[in-house]
Amino acid sequence: MSAAGSLLAVVPAAAVLLLTVVTRPRGAAGVAPLRLAVVRAALLSGAYAVLVVEVLGASHALTQPAFVAAWLLFLLACAVAAVVRRWRDATAAQQPAATPRPVPVGAVVAGGAGPELPAPSTDAGPAGRGHRPVGPAHGGLLTRALDIWRTAGRGERLLAGTVGGLVLVELLVALLAEPNNFDSQTYHLPKVERWVAQGDLDFWPTAIHRQVTIPPGAEYLLLHLRLLTGGDRLHNLVQWAAGVLCLLVAARITAQLGGGRRAQLLTAFVLATTPMVVLQATSTQTDLVCAAWVACAATLVVDGLRRRTGWGTLLGLGAATGLTAVTKTSGLIAVGPLLVLWGLAQLRLALAGRAPAAGGSTARPVAGAARVICGSVLVLLVAAVVVGPFLARVTAEFGHPLGPPRLRESIPMERHDPPSILVNALRIGHTAFDTPLAPLRDLGGKAIIGGADAIGVDPQDRAITFGRELFPEPAWYPDEDRVAFPIVGALALIGTVVALARPRRIDSGQIGPLRAYAVVVLATVLLHTSMIKWQPWGNRLLLYALVLAVPLAGLWLDALLRHRAGRTIGTSGRRRSVATLTVVVVLVTSALAGVLALSYGFPRRLVGSGSVFTTSDWDTRFLRRPQWADEFRWAAGAVRDSGARRIGLVEQNDNWEYPWWLLLRQPDGRPPELVSLQSVLPERPPADPTSVDAIVCTGAKPACAKLVPAGWRLEFRGYVGYALPPGR
């Protein structure tokens, strides 16, 4: 990555920071206004990034100059908006404060301003629970942060320090490690290189259908970094930033549901120490990106439970929905129930009675209901603008917005009878809660298999099982694709049950919102287990649901500590209760799991074999398959030495393609001319083998030999091979 590329990569980050200033709510009222501004800035910049790719792709202009111009214009617009916002805030501060007009309890201000709050809140959360509010009078952001730190207890500082330390070390790993995720080698990163090579988003002949059928939202973000920097050095930062956003938004949802500073820190701590989150935060996978957009939708929905949603928030909900859909379709399993909850809450507010409207008049319930309907339509329209172009291309290519039959039948459940759904849910739960205790895993697996047989369901049925995989499969090892989350999963489950059955134990003033949110979490999990087949790496597919549920875990833990705080045994020893000690043990164990995942997790680790400090860049890319590193270099070297310009690809559905894009890149940095000699797209015929100067192969030698023209020389080493015509 060049120095110019490093500077260009700063432009999007600067734009997001300026947007945070521009979109921060006015006034002191509201829950965690700074985090709300971050959510708004992320959604606005994310939607802009997607639309830039779509517009420039349609114009056949996916080039570095076009992307640089797009981001510089966006940065300029954000800077102007920030200056205007600061000027307006300064002007408003000089005006005498107007006496607020009393608003009846439960009334909703027209335009989405919401009911008057009993006390100002802080970005650290509600001021209750014994914490002093930190308002604008305390100065700037740094002053407020220092004030919060001074008023925090020892335990709160320890929680915050652990979260901050993990995030910073993850950033270090993300910067040091080369992209080495398995799926990224197969289709995430090859599709980015293909877009750069052809300058547009048109589909292409390929043997790997996931390169064109899987939603590309996360890869759109990678494309920006690829064109701005000229390489993949910063690709891991997309998931890292998504992980940070998940932490901020989960903590805000906790505050919205009544949690104080400690509850928010507990939520962030539990989520930050989850091994799956730790490992994915340094990866080029897409699950954290999807989870971040789902969390953004959730926090905007919770805002709408007690006050009418303004037009700006409606646009945000639409952007969150569209970004989720264009990133990972499974995320809509959570966004759907969230939008239903939002619509019901808005209708309740509209139909509850007469509400004060602008100008002193009253808004009729019918008009309020019509406003909710119009708002719902606006959300769907904005979402369609974001995801519509991709769905249109998929529909035109395959005749269905969800892609070809092989995609629609491989991951989604093909049976929906109650026994099959029950077996699928039990298997997913078994994999998600896996531990290093092999006897426990074996006992649980045998019980599920026996129970499935008893109710007439084959536990290995292909209609409820992905591919040719067999249940059970160990998932405790800290691997980014499959690591289990028994601790946070158990905490989230308990928090959800308590919020449903005993919400008063968490917060007696938030009974309705707590139950409503818990219902959404439960519905999301039930829908996921009834729509997604079991697979060994299914834990990462649950990440969006986990992020959604963690706030309930943080609230329950805080309530448990709060209720036990005054209960002591004896007057001299003041021994902690068993419940408090259990919470401490759980948190320590969770921290240990997170630290171990960061230190020894696979395929990026701090210490041991394969450490990011001791492993070369090229070998880091091949930590999943070390034996392939030299094989790819050997084949690519022979092809380069032959002087070949147009190179044919022979590969199977799960083979690595990305190394060819790196090794065969032209001396001036331009992508190589790679064409596929196979195609699973009916309307995209493959290239003729006789039209290329050389052929590179991965996978099975017989499959490659079938496509090599007569008289060509075919060489193969293990997984990789190449073929050259006579005379080369």
Side-chain angles (χ1 to χ4, degrees):
M1 182 176 64
S2 64
S6 301
L7 293 175
L8 291 175
V10 174
V11 175
V16 173
L17 291 176
L18 289 173
L19 278 177
T20 303
V21 175
V22 174
T23 60
R24 185 165 185 177
R26 300 181 186 276
V31 176
L34 179 57
R35 277 172 274 170
L36 177 57
V38 172
V39 169
R40 292 171 173 175
L43 291 174
L44 184 57
S45 56
Y48 177 78
V50 169
L51 293 178
V52 164
V53 172
E54 292 290 356
V55 171
L56 294 180
S59 305
H60 303 281
L62 297 181
T63 62
Q64 185 183 57
F67 273 68
V68 171
W71 277 109
L72 289 178
L73 288 174
F74 190 63
L75 179 64
L76 178 61
C78 293
V80 172
V83 171
V84 172
R85 172 64 189 269
R86 294 297 295 269
W87 176 78
R88 289 181 176 178
D89 289 346
T91 302
Q94 296 175 358
Q95 300 296 326
T99 303
R101 181 165 53 88
V103 179
V105 176
V108 180
V109 179
E116 285 192 350
L117 301 179
S121 67
T122 166
D123 198 68
R129 312 280 191 257
H131 296 302
R132 180 165 57 90
V134 183
H138 290 273
L141 182 61
L142 180 59
T143 303
R144 293 170 55 196
L146 292 175
D147 189 69
I148 293 172
W149 183 261
R150 285 194 298 269
T151 59
R154 183 181 302 175
E156 293 174 345
R157 292 182 179 182
L158 184 60
L159 292 172
T162 302
V163 173
L166 285 172
V167 169
L168 290 176
V169 177
E170 288 164 6
L171 175 60
L172 176 65
V173 175
L175 291 172
L176 291 177
E178 302 291 327
N180 61 359
N181 173 261
F182 194 102
D183 284 347
S184 296
Q185 308 291 337
T186 300
Y187 69 96
H188 289 311
L189 300 185
K191 73 168 68 172
V192 173
E193 295 300 322
R194 180 67 65 176
W195 293 331
V196 174
Q198 63 189 29
D200 57 41
L201 301 174
D202 291 345
F203 291 163
W204 56 90
T206 178
I208 304 174
H209 75 87
R210 291 175 295 174
Q211 292 183 358
V212 296
T213 57
I214 298 293
E219 290 89 341
Y220 281 176
L221 303 181
L222 293 177
L223 177 62
H224 285 268
L225 289 178
R226 168 66 176 85
L227 286 173
L228 290 176
T229 67
D232 61 8
R233 193 67 190 177
L234 301 182
H235 279 8
N236 292 331
L237 293 186
V238 171
Q239 280 263 108
W240 178 83
V244 173
L245 184 58
C246 285
L247 295 178
L248 294 175
V249 179
R252 182 174 191 266
I253 293 173
T254 304
Q256 291 172 287
L257 296 176
R261 182 193 299 165
R262 184 175 62 190
Q264 296 170 58
L265 287 172
L266 286 168
T267 296
F269 179 89
V270 170
L271 185 59
T273 55
T274 302
M276 178 65 77
V277 175
V278 170
L279 293 170
Q280 289 234 358
T282 62
S283 170
T284 48
Q285 263 292 6
T286 62
D287 303 288
L288 269 180
V289 178
C290 174
W293 300 136
V294 170
C296 287
T299 193
L300 296 180
V301 166
V302 176
D303 271 340
L305 295 183
R306 288 185 171 176
R307 64 183 184 190
R308 288 187 187 173
T309 300
W311 296 110
T313 303
L314 289 173
L315 295 176
L317 278 173
T321 303
L323 288 168
T324 301
V326 80
T327 300
K328 213 174 186 70
T329 310
S330 58
L332 295 178
I333 294 174
V335 174
L338 284 168
L339 291 180
V340 170
L341 173 62
W342 170 82
L344 292 175
Q346 293 294 294
L347 281 175
R348 179 184 63 81
L349 292 171
L351 301 177
R354 295 172 179 263
S361 62
T362 58
R364 296 182 177 182
V366 174
R371 185 177 183 275
V372 174
I373 295 174
C374 291
S376 302
V377 172
L378 178 61
V379 169
L380 297 179
L381 286 176
V382 173
V385 170
V386 175
V387 71
F390 169 71
L391 293 181
R393 289 194 299 275
V394 172
T395 303
E397 189 72 30
F398 301 105
H400 196 286
L402 297 181
R406 65 183 301 174
L407 177 63
R408 303 198 303 271
E409 296 169 1
S410 61
I411 298 178
M413 287 274 285
E414 298 177 79
R415 291 181 56 179
H416 297 91
D417 54 289
S420 296
I421 293 175
L422 175 61
V423 171
N424 193 55
L426 291 174
R427 294 183 306 166
I428 290 175
H430 180 273
T431 305
F433 287 85
D434 190 24
T435 69
L437 302 176
L440 182 63
R441 180 191 316 118
D442 295 340
L443 180 63
K446 291 177 180 178
I448 292 173
I449 292 174
D453 292 336
I455 61 177
V457 177
D458 179 5
Q460 315 298 351
D461 185 358
R462 296 304 100 186
I464 62 174
T465 305
F466 179 85
R468 301 177 181 178
E469 306 301 325
L470 296 177
F471 173 84
E473 182 76 18
W476 64 268
Y477 185 79
D479 183 298
E480 66 175 355
D481 285 336
R482 64 175 65 199
V483 62
F485 35 81
I487 297 176
V488 65
L491 293 176
L493 179 61
I494 295 172
T496 301
V497 171
V498 172
L500 281 171
R502 304 286 296 276
R504 292 182 185 275
R505 292 185 62 84
I506 296 177
D507 193 329
S508 59
Q510 298 281 342
I511 294 177
L514 281 169
R515 277 184 171 156
Y517 191 82
V519 167
V520 168
V521 171
L522 182 61
T524 298
V525 174
L526 293 177
L527 286 173
H528 183 97
T529 56
S530 63
M531 297 176 67
I532 306 296
K533 294 177 179 178
W534 174 86
Q535 49 192 285
W537 44 88
N539 288 341
R540 66 180 181 83
L541 303 182
L542 273 169
L543 195 53
Y544 73 94
L546 189 70
V547 172
L548 194 67
V550 164
L552 296 177
L555 288 165
W556 175 70
L557 288 173
D558 179 66
L560 194 60
L561 292 173
R562 189 171 67 249
H563 293 160
R564 300 291 179 180
R567 302 184 183 182
T568 57
I569 304 174
T571 56
S572 58
R574 287 185 170 270
R575 291 180 298 167
R576 295 181 181 272
S577 66
V578 174
T580 302
L581 286 175
T582 302
V583 171
V584 172
V585 171
V586 168
L587 293 179
V588 171
T589 306
S590 182
L592 181 62
V595 171
L596 288 176
L598 188 58
S599 302
Y600 295 98
F602 196 73
R604 291 165 304 281
R605 56 177 49 166
L606 291 174
V607 296
S609 176
S611 167
V612 295
F613 296 114
T614 60
T615 308
S616 68
D617 293 348
W618 186 250
D619 289 336
T620 298
R621 297 181 184 274
F622 286 86
L623 283 175
R624 286 282 187 191
R625 300 291 186 270
Q627 67 275 19
W628 294 350
D630 290 336
E631 294 175 4
F632 269 98
R633 274 182 164 170
W634 161 76
V639 171
R640 285 198 310 269
D641 292 342
S642 72
R645 304 289 293 179
R646 180 177 167 88
I647 304 164
L649 281 173
V650 178
E651 55 197 0
Q652 286 77 59
N653 184 57
D654 206 31
N655 289 172
W656 285 20
E657 180 183 313
Y658 186 58
W660 299 126
W661 291 97
L662 298 175
L663 290 168
L664 299 175
R665 188 171 292 177
Q666 298 183 26
D668 60 359
R670 289 184 295 130
E673 185 180 358
L674 294 177
V675 296
S676 179
L677 303 184
Q678 307 147 288
S679 180
V680 294
L681 280 66
E683 303 300 323
R684 308 278 175 173
D688 186 340
T690 61
S691 69
V692 300
D693 303 324
I695 297 174
V696 291
C697 310
T698 51
K701 182 177 180 179
C704 182
K706 291 179 180 179
L707 293 172
V708 174
W712 284 39
R713 175 169 56 93
L714 174 62
E715 300 285 346
F716 230 91
R717 282 189 185 177
Y719 179 76
V720 177
Y722 70 91
L724 295 173
R728 285 187 178 266

